[in-house]
Amino acid sequence: MVEQESTAKFAERARSAQTVVVEAKDLAAVFEYAADLTLQQGGQSIAAPGIKGKELAHLSKLCQAKKIELLTGDLRQKADMISTGLTGADWGIAETGTLVVDSKSEDIRLAGMLCDTHVAFLKKSRIVPDAGTIEKELSRMMKTSHGYTAFISGASRTADIERVLTIGVHGPRELHVLILGEDKQ
Amino acid sequence: MIKTPGDVKTYKKDLKRALSNTFLGATLDAFASAYPASRANAFSGIDFEALAAEIARAKDESIPNLEKLLEEFTVQAQKAGAVVHFARTAFEANSIIASIAEENGVRRIVKGKSMTAEETFLNDHLERSGYEVTETDLGEWIIQMRGEGPSHMVMPAIHLSRREVAELFTKVTGQAQDPDDIGAMVRVARSELRRKFLEADMGISGANFAIAQNGAIGLVTNEGNGRLVTTLPRVHVALVGVDKLVPDVKSAMRILTALPRNATGQLISTYVTWITGAVECKSAPGSRKSMHIVFLDNGRLALAKDPVFSQALRCIRCGACANVCPIYKLVGGHNYGHVYIGAIGLVLTYFYHGRQNARAIVRNCLNCRACKSVCAAGIDLPRLIKEVYGAILEVEGEKPVKNVLLEKTLGNRRLFHFLLRSGSHLQAPVAEGRFLRHLPLIFSEEHQFRRLPALAKVPLRDKWEKINPVTQNPRYKVAFFGGCLTDFVYPEQGQALLDACRDLGVRFEYPMEQTCCGLPALMMGEKETARRVAVQNIKAVDPAEFDYVLTLCASCGSHLKEYVNLLSDEPLLGVKAAQLKDKVIDFSSFMTKVLKIDPSQFLAGGGKTAYHAPCHLCRGQGVREEPRELLAIAGLEYVQTKDEEVCCGFGGSFSLDFPEISAELLKRKLDNVAASGTGALVTDCPGCVLQLKGGMENRGGAIEVKHIAEIVAERRK
């Protein structure tokens, strides 16, 4: 019940910050979505540094089939070539439609910063009503040495020229959040 | 380079120029009109007052312990691989950062937005040391290339038009830019700056938070440049004011709830980034970022110990005090602050950038309380502004003539009232009905925007005994605090009070030893004189002898309630001041809440009436519904007008010091009222009546301006 309410609120608040929110049944569906979106937008690559093992193999096959270049690391060297950044999110905060992404890894950071479109997937069970609910977890994430914790709420924006809202100034021009209904853990 | 005039004459020239800048006027007006609704929307479901009080409380707890928090932070951050520096002065901070650059063989630097770096003029220092520094926040980049300072703490380039930006970008890129294609200009910035990010060796950021508990810093941004600044270059330096230290994550989250909502009406900014220590950075030796945090003192730790000004350190830099300031709206940030802008800028400039930069701008405050009402940290900004003004006068030892006169006369009630009575006779040759025909010589052309009233032939106090009816077995014993304007200019308002309360069981008394409430003295920075008249009034009106102390003047009422600030440290007087605070009441609240009048006591079918909400009633005393309710009960049709709670521009002696600004605010106010199509405009402060009536008279007097007591008295059956 609480989970449903939080999910609905998360979606509503995220959408109000121009985030595209979609439900996905599993990771395979997320990969499919990211690949299709990349092609639709005329993109050529997906950076997915956080995907490992079996899932990576699956994504790699999919990208090959769709003729999309898959970037898995050293993104600093590929700064100009990232069309889509694909990352997970650790938490969703419903009150503000915010993703919390543990970004200790430089490549995770760059995947979400240098891309044109950021696709993030988030387990429904990880959506909480507000930041206060996960205060302890946030403290822990920050307390780890070398922590980089990102709150992301929508696409990069500016209103610095005549207060006209313009999307995509330094970071991604679009943010898509895919909510994974089933929590297999 | 930022230039802020140190003398009022030059400052007024700048103000005049700003007032004639139509783009600036229109853009700031559009912003000011949109802001309240988007702010209210962002705070829906949140009790703002409670949140602000909670932030204030938590900040007040941290402020005396900043050194301890700094110690704790340092231990944690160093454990995580960061190097923590402490700079006592702005110059020291700049030097530390330059030597970090030197030690790391840095050539190119990218910067995220930081007011603290603006405070220390860090860019100038680094550029003089031979480094290439590029601001990467779009607004900051624009003003950097124009060689200007920010005109707003959150929207640094709000003063510029798309045309000016297009011209600039055309120069930068060598390609013509279409001013109407803002998207394209933003793309220019994206690609130009992307290159800079990739080439830079060092990134400099500020920080909105430094969390002692875990040594993390927090950055609140929208564009995403802050993330690139802290990720791509191999060295990261964060310049942080020590006032940004908070004990724990909870405190940071509390501030984060208020900051974006209050700043731009966003629930949260697009990015909030929390960084702990030397994060992974693959272009750095050992794949670890060289991470430095430079804490800036620059007087903050001493400020923390100041009994009056320490609350200035509560500021979370949201910029809301500028967003709602009626003067900021007219003249923009370049004329309303030095580096720091808005109400908090008027205060901080004196501490961080000195007297010369503060002395002219600090006078430019109406004391309308708009800033105080939206401050996310509950800072008493109007009071601090007057305290700074007073401190500057004190330090300089040379006071304006009017201050000397005020000090000499106001402190002595007999002399003061003698002068007012004499004035009534002396003005005879220039009086024309209730107005002065022409202004005395001390006024200039610029003061002609309204007609000034003549002093009354007989002040209220001299006819009080005659007009005050004897009430047998009164239900309420009420002291009437007249205030100078009701007493000596508009005694008919006092008569109206008596008429409105006729036969309702009220016994009014007019304690004759009462004098000016003292607010004009405080407005002019004369705290000691203000204290003296406060004592005089408390002696004259012992609150314990009355059920209420009623005044028709919103400013007097709100100031009487603030005697506690002036007298809190004094034995007995402090108690009386607190009692007074509880008994002061305005006319509308008295009629609706105490006397509980009802429509049967009034004639029906009154006309349309607009209402102007005096600053010192709606914000100063939190009275909002009662006057509107009262109008309805008195059979009048209240018509809402635009910006009802925005200051009319009077501000007491402000309108004499800055007539151009006062005139513009009055014009806007009267335009809004005229647009409503009402026949009457009422308000509940004789100061506002003076301003509005005088302005209306100048326009031909089509709409009648009255004190609400007058219109209510007229409607009594």
Side-chain angles (χ1 to χ4, degrees):
Chain A
M1 185 59 194
V2 177
E3 186 183 298
Q4 290 238 315
E5 260 174 47
S6 290
T7 306
K9 190 166 186 189
F10 174 88
E12 178 219 314
R13 293 287 161 95
R15 283 180 186 129
S16 74
Q18 288 86 33
T19 301
V20 180
V21 183
V22 185
E23 297 231 4
K25 82 174 186 317
D26 54 19
L27 260 189
V30 171
F31 295 164
E32 202 71 45
Y33 182 96
D36 290 346
L37 184 66
T38 306
L39 293 177
Q40 229 176 65
Q41 296 180 334
Q44 282 149 12
S45 66
I46 294 179
I51 312 289
K52 307 277 184 236
K54 228 172 42 228
E55 276 139 7
L56 179 62
H58 179 81
L59 177 61
S60 175
K61 221 164 92 190
L62 180 73
C63 286
Q64 239 167 14
K66 302 214 176 200
K67 297 201 170 58
I68 295 170
E69 187 177 356
L70 179 63
L71 313 169
T72 55
D74 287 325
L75 297 182
R76 186 180 278 274
Q77 312 308 325
K78 298 158 191 160
D80 291 333
M81 26 189 312
I82 309 171
S83 311
T84 301
L86 177 62
T87 73
D90 297 85
W91 299 97
I93 300 172
E95 191 200 8
T96 49
T98 300
L99 293 176
V100 180
V101 182
D102 185 335
S103 309
K104 263 196 299 293
S105 143
E106 176 177 292
D107 282 327
I108 294 279
R109 254 176 283 158
L110 293 177
M113 289 176 195
L114 296 173
C115 59
D116 289 326
T117 299
H118 183 189
V119 177
F121 51 92
L122 169 70
K123 287 178 188 156
K124 199 180 264 179
S125 60
R126 294 286 232 167
I127 300 178
V128 295
D130 50 37
T133 319
I134 48 168
E135 197 185 296
K136 278 209 188 89
E137 289 79 0
L138 290 171
S139 292
R140 212 171 301 136
M141 279 165 97
M142 291 181 207
K143 181 98 184 178
T144 334
S145 331
H146 322 311
Y148 199 109
T149 308
F151 284 14
I152 302 174
S153 317
S156 154
R157 67 194 52 218
T158 186
D160 273 350
I161 303 177
E162 284 196 16
R163 293 197 313 111
V164 176
L165 179 67
T166 315
I167 303 292
V169 54
H170 290 302
R173 297 184 169 101
E174 285 183 26
L175 172 65
H176 295 243
V177 176
L178 277 72
I179 298 178
L180 290 168
E182 275 155 53
D183 186 4
K184 285 188 181 138
Q185 280 187 337
Chain B
M1 198 55 205
I2 302 175
K3 279 209 181 85
T4 301
D7 65 290
V8 176
K9 211 168 150 192
T10 315
Y11 181 44
K12 287 175 88 161
K13 268 191 206 148
D14 291 354
L15 293 178
K16 228 182 222 169
R17 199 173 317 123
L19 283 170
S20 64
N21 179 342
T22 49
F23 168 78
L24 187 72
T27 197
L28 293 177
D29 192 48
F31 172 56
S33 301
Y35 172 75
S38 59
R39 176 178 180 272
N41 198 23
F43 276 111
S44 81
I46 294 175
D47 180 348
F48 172 74
E49 308 277 321
L51 177 63
E54 191 54 23
I55 290 174
R57 189 202 54 76
K59 281 275 188 182
D60 285 351
E61 229 172 76
S62 294
I63 288 167
N65 295 314
L66 288 176
E67 278 153 298
K68 230 189 269 163
L69 292 174
L70 178 61
E71 236 169 79
E72 193 185 341
F73 179 94
T74 306
V75 170
Q76 296 300 331
Q78 285 181 339
K79 234 193 264 175
V83 186
V84 179
H85 308 259
F86 180 77
R88 280 169 306 172
T89 66
F91 182 79
E92 218 171 276
N94 294 345
S95 307
I96 290 170
I97 296 172
S99 36
I100 297 169
E102 198 188 336
E103 281 158 25
N104 286 279
V106 166
R107 282 180 51 216
R108 297 192 179 94
I109 299 170
V110 281
K111 250 186 95 238
K113 186 169 159 31
S114 158
M115 281 310 297
T116 314
E118 298 282 353
E119 175 186 329
T120 67
F121 299 104
L122 175 63
N123 288 2
D124 295 344
H125 185 101
L126 292 173
E127 280 166 2
R128 272 198 307 271
S129 313
Y131 299 101
E132 180 198 296
V133 187
T134 308
E135 292 285 352
T136 60
D137 171 89
L138 177 57
E140 288 281 339
W141 188 49
I142 291 169
I143 60 167
Q144 183 191 26
M145 290 190 289
R146 288 174 55 95
E148 292 175 324
S151 72
H152 188 281
M153 293 204 288
V154 178
M155 296 163 288
I158 191 172
H159 60 289
L160 296 173
S161 69
R162 58 185 78 196
R163 222 155 296 285
E164 287 164 302
V165 177
E167 269 169 37
L168 179 72
F169 281 18
T170 301
K171 237 192 290 172
V172 173
T173 59
Q175 279 167 353
Q177 301 292 328
D178 175 4
D180 288 319
D181 194 347
I182 289 177
M185 290 196 277
V186 170
R187 283 194 292 279
V188 166
R190 183 182 173 102
S191 71
E192 290 284 324
L193 291 170
R194 186 59 72 90
R195 207 163 41 81
K196 298 282 183 192
F197 283 121
L198 292 165
E199 290 169 357
D201 313 295
M202 179 161 131
I204 298 177
S205 73
N208 298 88
F209 313 100
I211 306 177
Q213 177 193 41
N214 52 28
I217 58 166
L219 301 171
V220 177
T221 73
N222 270 318
E223 297 184 359
N225 62 316
R227 299 183 350 128
L228 291 164
V229 160
T230 56
T231 295
L232 285 168
R234 59 192 158 83
V235 185
H236 173 201
V237 178
L239 175 60
V240 189
V242 287
D243 51 321
K244 296 291 168 56
L245 282 157
V246 293
D248 47 30
V249 173
K250 189 178 182 161
S251 313
M253 292 301 160
R254 188 189 297 124
I255 295 170
L256 186 60
T257 306
L259 176 56
R261 285 179 168 92
N262 224 28
T264 53
Q266 287 174 281
L267 295 177
I268 192 166
S269 60
T270 308
Y271 302 110
V272 183
T273 305
W274 309 94
I275 305 171
T276 322
V279 294
E280 184 186 35
C281 176
K282 289 186 178 163
S283 62
S287 282
R288 286 285 152 214
K289 172 99 66 186
S290 170
M291 163 64 157
H292 298 261
I293 300 161
V294 181
F295 278 101
L296 177 68
D297 177 358
N298 205 20
R300 286 167 171 81
L301 293 176
L303 198 52
K305 296 189 177 76
D306 188 288
V308 176
F309 288 104
S310 64
Q311 57 168 305
L313 292 176
R314 291 182 196 157
C315 177
I316 62 167
R317 306 283 188 265
C318 65
C321 56
N323 297 354
V324 298
C325 173
I327 301 177
Y328 172 85
K329 182 168 99 170
L330 296 183
V331 302
H334 285 156
N335 299 300
Y336 211 65
H338 180 61
V339 168
Y340 292 104
I341 305 295
I344 192 69
L346 300 195
V347 176
L348 293 182
T349 297
Y350 177 55
F351 292 102
Y352 298 152
H353 298 109
R355 203 173 71 232
Q356 279 305 313
N357 288 313
R359 59 197 304 279
I361 56 174
V362 79
R363 297 175 191 217
N364 197 1
C365 169
L366 285 152
N367 189 29
C368 80
R369 323 275 174 110
C371 50
K372 183 180 173 182
S373 72
V374 299
C375 178
I379 305 172
D380 193 349
L381 291 155
R383 178 170 167 225
L384 295 193
I385 290 169
K386 295 307 166 198
E387 294 273 2
V388 169
Y389 181 34
I392 291 176
L393 289 178
E394 197 66 41
V395 171
E396 296 192 337
E398 250 178 70
K399 293 191 173 179
V401 178
K402 71 175 169 43
N403 283 53
V404 178
L405 286 176
L406 178 112
E407 199 184 335
K408 293 261 183 292
T409 54
L410 207 55
N412 180 338
R413 183 193 71 79
R414 280 169 198 283
L415 174 64
F416 179 54
H417 287 166
F418 167 77
L419 288 172
L420 282 169
R421 282 196 183 86
S422 319
S424 164
H425 299 301
L426 291 172
Q427 74 187 358
V430 291
E432 185 178 65
R434 298 304 307 274
F435 293 98
L436 296 180
R437 192 165 51 233
H438 47 74
L439 293 176
L441 286 173
I442 52 161
F443 296 104
S444 65
E445 190 74 16
E446 280 148 354
H447 293 96
Q448 304 282 1
F449 67 95
R450 65 172 179 213
R451 291 196 67 185
L452 280 180
L455 289 164
K457 284 204 179 82
V458 184
L460 182 66
R461 59 173 58 232
D462 290 357
K463 56 183 169 190
W464 176 258
E465 284 312 321
K466 247 190 291 173
I467 62 171
N468 187 27
V470 180
T471 308
Q472 302 296 340
N473 308 317
R475 283 192 294 159
Y476 306 101
K477 194 176 162 201
V478 178
F480 179 27
F481 187 87
C484 308
L485 283 175
T486 301
D487 199 346
F488 286 90
V489 180
Y490 300 120
E492 64 271 26
Q493 294 175 3
Q495 176 73 59
L497 168 69
L498 297 175
D499 294 346
C501 297
R502 179 172 34 86
D503 304 331
L504 296 177
V506 188
R507 167 73 197 168
F508 284 108
E509 278 185 32
Y510 198 90
M512 288 297 160
E513 289 302 308
Q514 62 174 288
T515 184
C516 169
C517 69
L519 180 62
L522 210 59
M523 280 291 290
M524 286 155 72
E526 296 294 340
K527 202 172 167 184
E528 182 43 39
T529 307
R531 198 199 71 89
R532 259 163 52 207
V533 292
V535 172
Q536 160 95 21
N537 281 323
I538 280 192
K539 282 185 186 160
V541 188
D542 185 340
E545 291 174 8
F546 300 95
D547 297 314
Y548 291 97
V549 177
L550 186 147
T551 174
L552 297 176
C553 177
S555 298
C556 293
S558 127
H559 186 58
L560 291 175
K561 285 178 179 230
E562 287 177 4
Y563 278 5
V564 282
N565 289 337
L566 286 166
L567 303 173
S568 60
D569 298 337
E570 305 191 32
L572 293 177
L573 288 171
V575 177
K576 288 290 167 193
Q579 282 182 320
L580 182 65
K581 184 180 179 192
D582 295 335
K583 293 201 173 169
V584 168
I585 194 164
D586 63 285
F587 177 71
S588 301
S589 301
F590 185 68
M591 297 303 280
T592 57
K593 286 196 166 149
V594 179
L595 299 185
K596 299 193 175 70
I597 49 157
D598 67 76
S600 70
Q601 296 159 317
F602 294 88
L603 303 167
K608 287 183 177 177
T609 305
Y611 175 68
H612 162 68
C615 302
H616 293 163
L617 192 67
C618 64
R619 287 179 293 273
Q621 301 179 61
V623 176
R624 293 192 151 91
E625 293 312 313
E626 292 80 354
R628 286 139 175 126
E629 206 181 303
L630 175 60
L631 289 175
I633 295 172
L636 294 150
E637 187 190 337
Y638 156 63
V639 180
Q640 199 174 358
T641 52
K642 185 175 176 264
D643 293 344
E644 233 165 56
E645 291 195 350
V646 175
C647 182
C648 65
F650 178 59
S653 58
F654 177 90
S655 61
L656 303 179
D657 290 342
F658 294 97
E660 311 85 346
I661 288 178
S662 181
E664 183 58 29
L665 289 172
L666 176 60
K667 178 183 171 297
R668 291 182 185 209
K669 176 62 71 177
L670 293 178
D671 286 348
N672 288 334
V673 173
S676 72
T678 61
L681 167 62
V682 300
T683 184
D684 23 23
C685 182
C688 303
V689 168
L690 185 155
Q691 174 88 342
L692 298 167
K693 210 172 187 158
M696 197 56 91
E697 184 67 18
N698 246 9
R699 303 182 158 205
I703 297 171
E704 229 183 329
V705 180
K706 285 182 179 152
H707 192 287
I708 193 168
E710 294 179 271
I711 206 161
V712 168
E714 287 166 19
R715 310 294 310 165
R716 264 306 292 280
K717 273 184 192 163

